[in-house]
Amino acid sequence: MKYINNNLKIENLYFKNLAIKFGTPLYCYSHKKLKQNINDFKLNFKTFSPLICFATKANSNLKILKEIKKNGLGADVVSKGELMKALKAGINSKKIVFSGVGKTSEELSYAIDKNILLINSESKSEVLEIEKIAKSKKKIVDIGIRLNPNTDANTLKQISTGKKENKFGVNEKTFIEIFKIIKNKKNINLKCLSVHIGSQILDYRPYEKMLKAVSKLIKKIKFDFEFIDLGGGMGISYENNKKKLNYEKYNQAIKNFLKKHNSKIIFEPGRSIIGNAGVLITKIIYIKENPKKNFIILDAAMNDLMRPALYGARHQIIPITKNKKKSKKTYDFVGPICETTDKFLSTNNFQKLSEKDLLIICDTGAYGSSLGSNYNVRPNPAEILIKGSKLIVIKKRQKLKDLI
Ligand SMILES: *Cc1c(COP(=O)(O)O)cnc(C)c1O
């Protein structure tokens, strides 16, 4: 994105024209950025060529999944619905892993029928359920067990998943217990140890600790896993503070790990692939003044982009048309929904704004649209993908008649 004569452009298109053509709120993605993120991710870990399974929950738009597939990635899914979408996007079932703490018998049965690469299990009960279903289908199913390494990911507590108080995975003791049970089961084949300690991680050290915990367990049980699935969680820079995950250090830590353990590495990145490849275009409905601050009431709300309301995430907001006038007041950018948490950002030093002005909420490609809801009976926004000279509607704006 860049400003030309104070007007913001994405690639060779003016946001203003997109807003006029498609209306607001509007999700807008850049194919170029998506491709660049995928290539960067591959380059960061090229020495051991991991299997990269895109975390479908970050953005499950079918067209986006198809683009991701074209770039050679597999998928990490967490429900039957996501698995169906990944398959529909043409992703090879041998590049799909199924994660999640509570997969139902129906979901497991479907996954087994589709012969996916791995079902990563998170409890003893689930492992036994997989064995039962596999037996009834006379199949041998490849599984992983997710270790909870009790590692603090140093991220927002709501998106931390690898500490012992979190519901995810099993602790070392339970892992060993399950490991012993599996040895005597004919219909399941233990192929993978998986971990995923959280999301929006910007410090490589938690990953180092996680690898240590994995290494320690492997030594204890003396078992060679065909796959080590390290999950995702790589953070992106939401605010202009240039903070970045040190991929070199993470890469080095994995290379050291692989000197001792001969396994194929799997990653499940979501945010780092699609997060900064999408934005949300929104229009100011009203400006409500009060002595201390102005409420900038937008036509986008928490149902369109839930991260700020859900865990206090901050997304940068920028104007589509720049002016030189600074406002002295605090601006609270809010949505029209009847919840106090329906607020995107509070900021000072913003330029002077007027009703009907257009704004961009940045870095909304991951956990934006996919977390959307119809709360307050609000239809979901349209979504477009810019691909070279083409502009593709990848999701039509929902109509009220679909909701009523
Ligand atoms: C959410 C999730 C991911 C993706 O996390 P990102 O932070 O988007 O990279 C990967 N693996 C599992 C098991 C997840 O639940």
Side-chain angles (χ1 to χ4, degrees):
M1 300 191 292
K2 60 170 176 291
Y3 287 98
I4 306 285
N5 298 327
N6 294 325
N7 274 299
L8 192 60
K9 271 184 122 175
I10 175 163
E11 297 182 20
N12 57 352
L13 298 163
Y14 283 103
F15 274 116
K16 202 156 93 183
N17 295 337
L18 295 176
I20 291 167
K21 185 161 182 192
F22 298 100
T24 56
L26 176 71
Y27 271 107
C28 176
Y29 302 92
S30 159
H31 177 262
K32 196 168 149 189
K33 190 74 186 171
L34 170 64
K35 208 172 162 73
Q36 188 190 328
N37 288 341
I38 293 174
N39 287 339
D40 288 351
F41 196 95
K42 286 179 182 167
L43 271 179
N44 283 325
F45 301 108
K46 70 170 189 302
T47 48
F48 52 87
S49 42
L51 171 63
I52 306 169
C53 295
F54 174 68
T56 309
K57 74 177 191 287
N59 193 313
S60 56
N61 186 287
L62 206 53
K63 290 272 176 31
I64 300 266
L65 293 179
K66 280 183 185 167
E67 295 299 339
I68 284 169
K69 184 245 159 187
K70 277 186 210 156
N71 285 278
L73 270 56
D76 165 46
V77 300
V78 292
S79 70
K80 180 178 172 182
E82 283 190 0
L83 175 50
M84 290 169 82
K85 272 188 138 178
L87 291 168
K88 193 165 176 190
I91 295 172
N92 187 315
S93 62
K94 285 295 168 210
K95 284 185 176 182
I96 298 180
V97 299
F98 195 171
S99 309
V101 284
K103 306 179 217 46
T104 65
S105 310
E106 191 204 336
E107 290 181 308
L108 292 170
S109 178
Y110 182 79
I112 291 169
D113 288 343
K114 296 297 171 188
N115 299 310
I116 64 171
L117 180 66
L118 290 164
I119 299 177
N120 284 340
S121 182
E122 304 203 17
S123 64
K124 186 168 94 184
S125 303
E126 190 184 57
V127 168
L128 296 175
E129 184 66 17
I130 297 169
E131 151 80 10
K132 200 172 100 190
I133 300 169
K135 202 173 201 170
S136 75
K137 292 183 192 287
K138 300 191 172 61
K139 278 191 153 183
I140 298 168
V141 175
D142 295 334
I143 68 164
I145 306 174
R146 177 163 171 182
L147 172 71
N148 181 325
N150 193 21
T151 307
D152 189 344
N154 240 333
T155 183
L156 294 169
K157 74 171 190 305
Q158 298 94 331
I159 51 176
S160 181
T161 58
K163 290 172 80 180
K164 63 177 186 296
E165 60 268 34
N166 299 135
K167 69 177 174 182
F168 300 97
V170 296
N171 63 21
E172 194 187 273
K173 186 167 159 274
T174 312
F175 193 108
I176 295 170
E177 190 190 329
I178 299 174
F179 175 74
K180 285 177 183 157
I181 294 172
I182 294 176
K183 272 191 180 163
N184 305 314
K185 302 285 183 197
K186 292 189 190 69
N187 297 81
I188 39 181
N189 194 2
L190 180 61
K191 284 205 161 178
C192 176
L193 185 162
S194 79
V195 275
H196 172 73
I197 57 172
S199 203
Q200 185 52 18
I201 299 168
L202 290 166
D203 181 355
Y204 69 93
R205 288 167 300 185
Y207 284 127
E208 280 185 343
K209 279 190 203 148
M210 168 188 98
L211 284 165
K212 266 195 194 132
V214 172
S215 212
K216 181 172 149 242
L217 174 58
I218 295 176
K219 271 182 205 143
K220 228 177 221 175
I221 58 177
K222 297 186 185 67
F223 184 78
D224 287 326
F225 289 94
E226 186 174 335
F227 301 101
I228 300 289
D229 181 343
L230 297 175
M234 298 80 176
I236 61 169
S237 173
Y238 280 105
E239 295 180 66
N240 253 350
N241 56 7
K242 303 266 189 296
K243 202 170 172 198
K244 270 187 77 187
L245 174 66
N246 189 331
Y247 278 93
E248 260 168 59
K249 296 264 194 192
Y250 189 19
N251 179 51
Q252 193 53 52
I254 298 169
K255 277 165 62 184
N256 293 342
F257 174 90
L258 289 174
K259 279 179 199 155
K260 288 173 278 170
H261 313 284
N262 184 23
S263 302
K264 170 112 179 151
I265 297 291
I266 300 175
F267 284 119
E268 305 167 343
R271 190 189 311 274
S272 51
I273 300 297
I274 191 73
N276 64 5
V279 296
L280 180 59
I281 309 173
T282 178
K283 187 155 86 183
I284 301 174
I285 309 176
Y286 297 121
I287 297 180
K288 188 153 92 169
E289 310 206 354
N290 111 1
K292 285 250 173 67
K293 59 167 82 158
N294 283 355
F295 291 101
I296 311 294
I297 304 167
L298 307 174
D299 66 357
M302 65 190 281
N303 74 301
D304 306 308
L305 175 64
M306 174 120 101
R307 298 187 68 253
L310 192 61
Y311 28 70
R314 286 171 61 87
H315 286 263
Q316 241 196 307
I317 296 180
I318 56 174
I320 281 183
T321 306
K322 255 190 188 170
N323 64 41
K324 298 245 152 53
K325 291 167 264 169
K326 279 259 178 276
S327 166
K328 288 189 188 71
K329 282 193 180 170
T330 297
Y331 280 168
D332 269 13
F333 292 94
V334 301
I337 280 183
C338 308
E339 297 283 346
T340 301
T341 56
D342 184 25
K343 174 180 150 183
F344 293 112
L345 197 67
S346 193
T347 173
N348 296 313
N349 296 319
F350 210 86
Q351 74 174 37
K352 209 165 175 323
L353 291 171
S354 311
E355 293 179 350
K356 298 197 171 58
D357 278 0
L358 293 164
L359 299 167
I360 295 290
I361 307 180
C362 299
D363 306 314
T364 56
Y367 308 103
S369 164
S370 63
L371 255 169
S373 79
N374 292 119
Y375 187 39
N376 280 204
V377 196
R378 288 169 52 90
N380 294 149
E383 301 187 33
I384 56 172
L385 175 70
I386 296 163
K387 187 178 179 185
S389 57
K390 277 189 285 185
L391 227 174
I392 311 161
V393 177
I394 59 171
K395 189 177 171 185
K396 285 193 186 131
R397 187 174 300 283
Q398 225 173 13
K399 292 198 171 72
L400 272 175
K401 76 167 171 26
D402 302 330
L403 300 180
I404 295 161

